[in-house]
Amino acid sequence: MASDDDSRVVYSLGDPAGLPRNETTFAELLREQGYSTALIGKWHQGLNRHVRGDHHHHPVHYGFDYFYGMPFTLIDACWPDPSRDVELTLSGRMGLLVHQLIALAVATFILGIVPALACVCWTLILVPVVLIVLLSYFWFDSYGSALYWDCILMRGHDITEQPMKAERAGSIMVQEATAFLERIGRFLLFFSFLHVHSPLPTTDAFLGTSSHGLYGDNVQEMDAMLGELLGAVDRLSLTNQTLVYFTSDHGGHLEARRGHVPLGGRNGIFKGGKGMGGWEGGIRVPGIVRWPGKVPAGQVIDEPTSLMDVFPTLGGSAGAEVPQDRHIDGRDLMPLLLGEQQHSEHEFLFHYCEVYLHAARWHPRDSSAIWKVHYVTPVFEPPGAQACYTFYYCKCTGDHVTYHDPPLLFDLSRDPSESRPLTRDTEPMYDTVIRRVGEAVREHRRSVLPVPLQLSHRNRFVTSLRPCCGLFPFCLCDREGQRSDKSSPAVTSWGTLGWPSWEDEGNKRP
């Protein structure tokens, strides 16, 4: 999933881009080993490709037996300003009103309830009214709003909320995950939090509970949800058999803010943030592992690892073999976690912004030094800032970056904030490090095969691909609000996806 034209993600559910179907996910590896697999939360890897409803990029095609969540990502439109409550309520009623008017006209004409002249009058009056209502609804409340088209929830292949109620989505996802755990034996649960992502939808119960504003409140709520999930694992006596890996996909988003109030978190001493290809603030993330009786508790491992390591780590732990027909960049973390190895197998790591390599690090096996070489760095804008507020995130190429020749060099073991570039005069190893990392970069690039760039502008946005839970364009539904028993939401839906019913005694937990 990459581009060469600043299209870093799937920008809408009208975008045909998505994860190529020939990719093998860790969910597929574990399902082949007999695990039941579920993705609950965010799936920002595309949905439709050719026509509305084809679900070409749906998680079910990538090894997940069950999906409940958001087939997109949170954007500001997903948690609208409370002042829009009246507008949203009216728009929700508008579709029903139009349907009733159309139904009344059809019934009047077919059943002949009134004389023919009255039918003509009805038609002359009703058609303009319907068209006016339809166009006003379609244009003002729906067509131009990402809230309706991108902020949706799905269970399996069915849309359950359009638009979704963002502040309650997280708690429903926890219920779905708990129901999954209670029913399944050997499982892989990928719980992809909507937290902590702007606009930070947070329930009233957690607003004002932290000393770090809305962002802190959202972290508090995520912490409580994580506690519920771990509590369910413990309650079901699965603790010692369950590997839990909690992490994040990038550092804080410095540019995200509402007015002058930051919404994207902080990165402490580390420079930069989300979207920056090289600076530590965008790369360093928490990584917490729990596996009682297997992984020793309380240890801190200060070795460079990567989220690419999740793939071979889960595969190896489940007894699966990773694909042999392609280069796998990740490494199995278990020897490091178990203390069988003292050093990460990643002697080198390469850091990209889109398809452009911005930086590389080298952790020599016989040294405590962690060298970082920057070939390209973003230009912070406006001048004097420490982020790219002008563009919401930093650019990867062109006039908005600085190309360094010679490259910048830092020793992260001594300067983790990357504040003091080393030179030949200040670092005797300068030439050796620059030369060795350059050789590793050239060797790495030979291992990278060209693939179609899924996230290019030429692939973006086709109106007919937008998902709809009703009769287009009246795409409004709230099946979560209609559900009376929210404690077992997944039971009925699993049947449509081939899951066992509650009465199937042969599928009870061992």
Side-chain angles (χ1 to χ4, degrees), residues 415-493:
D415 180 22
S417 63
E418 299 175 284
S419 58
R420 300 183 301 275
L422 301 173
T423 66
R424 289 186 178 91
D425 296 331
T426 60
E427 176 51 59
M429 290 283 292
Y430 181 89
D431 287 325
T432 300
V433 173
I434 294 297
R435 182 178 63 253
R436 182 67 187 94
V437 174
E439 293 170 353
V441 166
R442 288 189 291 274
E443 182 179 352
H444 160 71
R445 281 179 163 150
R446 285 194 292 268
S447 75
V448 178
L449 301 178
V451 296
L453 299 179
Q454 295 294 315
L455 300 175
S456 65
H457 280 299
R458 64 180 177 274
N459 286 333
R460 195 195 306 180
F461 196 75
V462 180
T463 302
S464 61
L465 294 181
R466 288 171 155 179
C468 182
C469 66
L471 178 63
F472 188 86
F474 304 108
C475 306
L476 295 162
C477 59
D478 183 5
R479 292 166 188 167
E480 303 298 351
Q482 298 167 3
R483 194 173 66 207
S484 59
D485 179 13
K486 293 185 179 179
S487 63
S488 57
V491 177
T492 54
S493 65

Side-chain angles (χ1 to χ4, degrees), residues 80-94 136-137 139-142 144-145 147-148 163 476:
D81 188 285
S83 64
R84 293 192 60 201
D85 284 351
V86 173
E87 172 195 342
L88 295 173
T89 300
L90 289 174
S91 67
R93 302 285 188 272
M94 198 67 73
S136 65
Y137 165 76
W139 179 254
F140 291 106
D141 294 318
S142 179
S145 173
L147 170 65
Y148 293 93
L476 295 162

Side-chain angles (χ1 to χ4, degrees), residues 149-211:
W149 298 113
D150 295 324
C151 306
I152 68 173
L153 288 179
M154 297 181 69
R155 181 177 293 109
H157 290 281
D158 299 324
I159 298 174
T160 60
E161 288 188 41
Q162 189 173 9
M164 72 176 188
K165 310 294 188 297
E167 66 277 1
R168 76 180 183 190
S171 60
I172 298 176
M173 290 172 185
V174 171
Q175 295 171 23
E176 296 274 342
T178 302
F180 172 77
L181 295 176
E182 289 174 345
R183 183 59 190 160
I184 300 304
R186 301 178 73 197
F187 68 88
L188 165 74
L189 170 62
F190 179 21
F191 195 96
S192 181
F193 281 97
L194 296 182
H195 297 60
V196 186
H197 194 294
S198 60
L200 305 174
T202 308
T203 59
D204 291 341
F206 285 90
L207 289 176
T209 60
S210 80
S211 57

Side-chain angles (χ1 to χ4, degrees), residues 24-65:
T24 301
T25 67
F26 56 73
E28 289 179 285
L29 290 184
L30 269 67
R31 186 164 66 178
E32 291 173 357
Q33 298 299 309
Y35 285 78
S36 298
T37 60
L39 168 58
I40 295 177
K42 179 168 71 171
W43 169 260
H44 196 188
Q45 302 293 316
L47 185 60
N48 298 319
R49 182 165 182 82
H50 303 291
V51 296
R52 177 183 297 113
D54 68 10
H55 294 177
H56 182 88
H57 296 299
H58 190 280
V60 73
H61 299 302
Y62 302 91
F64 291 102
D65 298 314

Side-chain angles (χ1 to χ4, degrees), residues 243-254:
L243 166 63
V244 178
Y245 186 28
F246 175 79
T247 188
S248 178
D249 54 348
H250 52 70
H253 187 188
L254 301 181

